[in-house]
Amino acid sequence: MAALLDLLLHGLKGLAIYADKARALDARNTVADMFLIEGLFTTVTNVDFDPVQLAGKLRRCYDLKEQVKALYEGAWREKQGGTPAAITDGPAAWVIADTLEGLVAQGETCGVKSLHSDPDILSSIEIIIYGLKGMAAYANHACILGKTDEEVFAFFHSALAATTDPNKGLMDFVGIAMECGKLNIKVMGMLNEGHVERYGHPVPTKVQLGTRKNKGILVSGHDLRMLEEILKQTEGKGIDIYTHGEMIPAHGYPALKKYPHLYANFGGAWQDQHKEFQSFPGAIIFNTNCIQRPADSYKDRLFTWGEVGWPGVKHIAGWHFDEVINKALECPDLPDAPGKEILTGFGHNAVLGVADKVIEAVKGGAVKHFFLIGGCDGAKSGRNYYTEFAEKVPKDCIILTLACGKYRFNKLEFGDIGGIPRLLDVGQCNDAYSAVQIALALAGAFNCGVNDLPLSFILSWYEQKAHVILLSLLYLGIKDIKLGPMLPAYLSPNVLQFLVSNFNISQIGTVDADLKASLGQ
């Protein structure tokens, strides 16, 4: 699978090269534009593990690359006359193998270390590629909601094509990486707009963590449109819908919470699914990344959708979920076991709705500092740091959190400051857009820059969506970010030093030391 994913990235580069050249001649293929985003999303961590499904995407990638090549050559003949010079090597010249074994062999020749011989340029290229992968995930969700943008499509083409250009130097790639951060803010804004137009602004909402006696479907992932369709198709059928992982913010959207059978959130972060899913007796479906090897105890009631795939697991194509619904009806009822409730739904609209109260609390000294603690969670040791940090944040400080990193501490009791909850769940990883809007609004209210606010960023990372959010924060000029549990392995020493020198980014240390540094003690 690693080789096939490397080959898909290689093929997407070829598609991007021709799409970029065609676009320069005002020729576009909207199907190829969409596939490039879908293909990049497929290569994100823990999305597609099915070699047969991936081989089909490789064939489609090659066919579209050839179509866009013909589009480019036709546009050249029309505008320039004659035929453009042929591209005889690199991703644009890729010819797909006929067998799965052949595809694997091709993929083994185009891994990471084949990208460049200079370690610093290789590092900068990887930063761009991982940024594009993460941004593609958000762009994919936005497209599903009908939000597309020509500038975004054009950047995907030009940036991915640039990673194959031997004439570009280190600072060229640094500039592209910053541009990726900039465009990702636009993409997250498009996704936010799509969510709000369809579902309304999130509102603070209590979410049940227990179960009740009824049939159940557990929805894991990020895609709200897919959840909406399942809610519609299960109305009146005696099935409760449970969210998992990054789906918990769905409970805060008015147009989704109106469904009484959107009942509760089950389980925690993605890495615990192999233990938790065994105790969920209903049907389970993944609509985006974070799938793990399923246990035999629930594999027969597991489904995938969208770009997700796993060998031997039924994949649902399209928007009809009858098979999932029928499986849920065949399964036993969930136990009647109510649990505690936690709050979600503190998007920027909800927080800024009480901005005057927050600002007054800061000016009056009731709130001393804000901490954004969140990001991707993971299974390796060291991530208990974020739980300990949240627990040790002083009582006169407010914690903003988002993404699955919040599951390290979102079930703890933090209380409130003058009626303002001390823990504000901003939403999914893409709702970093809301966190940015909150920070910018506070900076405007206090007539200062974001870096001058009593605000610290304590971020956990695991995969490419967290990576592109970091690029967005760097584009905004945000400094002093603490990142962990470890720094990305694709940062060469010189590139890391560039980030340290320009942004004072650093790896997390001990909780006590990092807290003191954040509070200026």
Side-chain angles (χ1 to χ4, degrees):
M1 283 305 300
L4 292 175
L5 288 168
D6 282 341
L7 184 60
L8 179 57
L9 181 60
H10 183 77
L12 291 170
K13 290 176 184 177
L15 175 58
I17 289 169
Y18 280 121
D20 187 46
K21 290 179 176 293
R23 187 173 286 271
L25 298 172
D26 296 322
R28 298 166 189 173
N29 182 317
T30 56
V31 174
D33 290 346
M34 288 297 302
F35 180 81
L36 186 70
I37 288 172
E38 293 167 3
L40 283 169
F41 187 13
T42 296
T43 67
V44 168
T45 307
N46 290 23
V47 175
D48 194 345
F49 292 87
D50 188 339
V52 175
Q53 184 169 299
L54 195 49
K57 291 179 183 179
L58 281 163
R59 168 53 63 183
R60 183 159 171 73
C61 180
Y62 177 74
D63 290 345
L64 283 171
K65 190 254 299 185
E66 292 298 297
Q67 289 177 32
V68 177
K69 174 186 176 182
L71 177 70
Y72 160 63
E73 292 174 342
W76 180 283
R77 285 191 292 270
E78 180 180 335
K79 292 181 179 293
Q80 309 286 347
T83 302
I87 302 175
T88 58
D89 60 4
W94 168 56
V95 177
I96 191 169
D98 293 330
T99 65
L100 184 61
E101 293 76 13
L103 293 174
V104 171
Q106 286 185 330
E108 288 172 344
T109 69
C110 51
V112 168
K113 292 186 178 180
S114 70
L115 300 181
H116 208 282
S117 58
D118 183 295
D120 295 329
I121 293 179
L122 173 61
S123 180
S124 63
I125 288 173
E126 287 190 84
I127 288 171
I128 292 167
I129 289 174
Y130 297 142
L132 292 172
K133 288 183 178 190
M135 188 165 71
Y138 300 140
N140 178 265
H141 297 316
C143 289
I144 287 173
L145 293 168
K147 299 295 181 181
T148 60
D149 184 87
E150 285 301 314
E151 182 187 16
V152 172
F153 284 136
F155 180 75
F156 272 112
H157 299 154
S158 64
L160 192 56
T163 65
T164 71
D165 188 345
N167 296 315
K168 291 196 180 297
L170 180 60
M171 295 313 296
D172 293 318
F173 291 122
V174 169
I176 295 171
M178 290 298 99
E179 188 71 10
C180 185
K182 175 185 176 181
L183 264 292
N184 185 58
I185 294 172
K186 182 172 189 174
V187 170
M188 290 192 298
M190 290 161 51
L191 180 53
N192 176 77
E193 186 179 74
H195 283 158
V196 169
E197 287 180 1
R198 195 174 184 95
Y199 309 118
H201 282 288
V203 296
T205 302
K206 290 182 178 180
V207 181
Q208 168 65 229
L209 298 181
T211 60
R212 66 182 176 187
K213 187 174 175 58
N214 213 350
K215 306 297 183 182
I217 296 175
L218 182 61
V219 181
S220 185
H222 301 74
D223 198 279
L224 298 186
R225 170 75 192 284
M226 179 266 207
L227 174 67
E228 179 191 20
E229 290 301 319
I230 286 186
L231 287 167
K232 288 179 179 178
Q233 294 174 38
T234 51
E235 278 190 289
K237 295 188 176 180
I239 299 174
D240 285 330
I241 305 303
Y242 292 78
T243 57
H244 173 260
E246 290 266 53
M247 295 301 297
I248 189 172
H251 294 268
Y253 286 92
L256 296 176
K257 63 185 294 184
K258 72 178 183 181
Y259 293 94
H261 59 302
L262 178 60
Y263 177 64
N265 185 77
F266 183 91
W270 67 273
Q271 74 271 10
D272 294 327
Q273 65 188 258
H274 62 286
K275 295 182 294 185
E276 294 174 341
F277 285 4
Q278 297 185 61
S279 61
F280 186 88
I284 305 166
I285 185 165
F286 273 89
N287 63 35
T288 61
N289 61 310
C290 297
I291 192 171
Q292 286 185 305
R293 181 189 301 276
D296 291 339
S297 61
Y298 62 85
K299 188 175 182 180
D300 67 327
R301 46 195 173 84
L302 181 66
F303 300 84
T304 60
W305 179 86
E307 307 311 316
V308 191
W310 192 281
V313 170
K314 175 66 178 180
H315 184 79
I316 304 297
W319 295 94
H320 297 288
F321 298 98
D322 293 348
E323 291 181 84
V324 184
I325 293 168
N326 291 335
K327 175 59 70 173
L329 292 172
E330 294 171 5
C331 290
D333 286 352
L334 274 72
D336 190 15
K340 70 177 295 183
E341 293 180 325
I342 61 174
L343 280 169
T344 190
F346 289 96
H348 65 277
N349 189 69
V351 175
L352 297 181
V354 293
D356 55 342
K357 196 173 182 180
V358 174
I359 292 166
E360 187 58 38
V362 175
K363 289 181 176 179
V367 173
K368 292 290 198 307
H369 205 86
F370 297 87
F371 289 91
L372 176 60
I373 310 173
C376 289
D377 204 3
K380 287 188 176 181
S381 61
R383 292 180 181 267
N384 57 315
Y385 167 95
Y386 297 95
T387 308
E388 183 185 349
F389 197 106
E391 290 176 322
K392 288 187 173 180
V393 166
K395 303 299 182 186
D396 55 4
C397 300
I398 289 176
I399 300 170
L400 302 171
T401 191
L402 48 75
C404 61
K406 62 174 166 267
Y407 282 104
R408 290 279 167 177
F409 49 81
N410 68 338
K411 297 179 178 67
L412 303 177
E413 297 294 338
F414 290 94
D416 65 87
I417 301 174
I420 304 169
R422 287 189 58 238
L423 180 66
L424 302 177
D425 181 356
V426 178
Q428 297 181 336
C429 51
N430 57 274
D431 289 313
Y433 176 81
S434 274
V436 167
Q437 297 306 309
I438 292 168
L440 293 175
L442 288 174
F446 289 106
N447 195 29
C448 66
V450 173
N451 290 314
D452 300 315
L453 287 170
L455 169 65
S456 298
F457 291 80
I458 314 295
L459 306 181
S460 56
W461 81 284
Y462 182 79
E463 46 93 328
Q464 295 86 351
K465 288 186 287 181
H467 169 90
V468 77
I469 289 171
L470 178 61
L471 291 184
S472 292
L473 295 177
L474 296 181
Y475 166 75
L476 291 170
I478 294 173
K479 297 183 178 181
D480 303 320
I481 295 170
K482 295 287 186 185
L483 187 65
M486 61 190 70
L487 295 178
Y490 48 81
L491 294 180
S492 69
N494 289 332
V495 170
L496 175 58
Q497 186 55 51
F498 175 87
L499 293 174
V500 171
S501 299
N502 288 273
F503 301 100
N504 199 33
I505 193 169
S506 62
Q507 187 174 357
I508 59 172
T510 67
V511 169
D512 291 339
D514 290 347
L515 256 177
K516 286 182 178 180
S518 297
L519 296 171
Q521 299 175 352

